[in-house]
Amino acid sequence: MNWVSWAEFIALGGHGVYVWGAYGVALVCMIAEPLMAHRRRQAALQAALAQATTHNAANC
């Protein structure tokens, strides 16, 4: 395919909304997944620390 201008390239023959929309959704997912994994890890570490602290306090 040959495009004369950037506007034609962005439009992709009328399919640009679907193509760029799919790229946008994929980008959002690729950014959100590591952020959510980091938050889950932090929550798990805090829960483990709280449980260890409670368990150690009960044994003293």
Side-chain angles (χ1 to χ4, degrees), residues 3-33:
W3 293 284
V4 177
S5 67
W6 281 104
E8 277 188 37
F9 173 71
I10 301 290
L12 291 174
H15 300 287
V17 173
Y18 306 108
V19 173
W20 299 117
Y23 275 111
V25 169
L27 181 64
V28 167
C29 291
M30 289 171 41
I31 291 171
E33 181 60 31

Side-chain angles (χ1 to χ4, degrees), residues 4 13 19 27 39 43-45 54-55:
V4 177
V19 173
L27 181 64
R39 287 182 183 169
L45 288 173
T54 304
H55 181 69

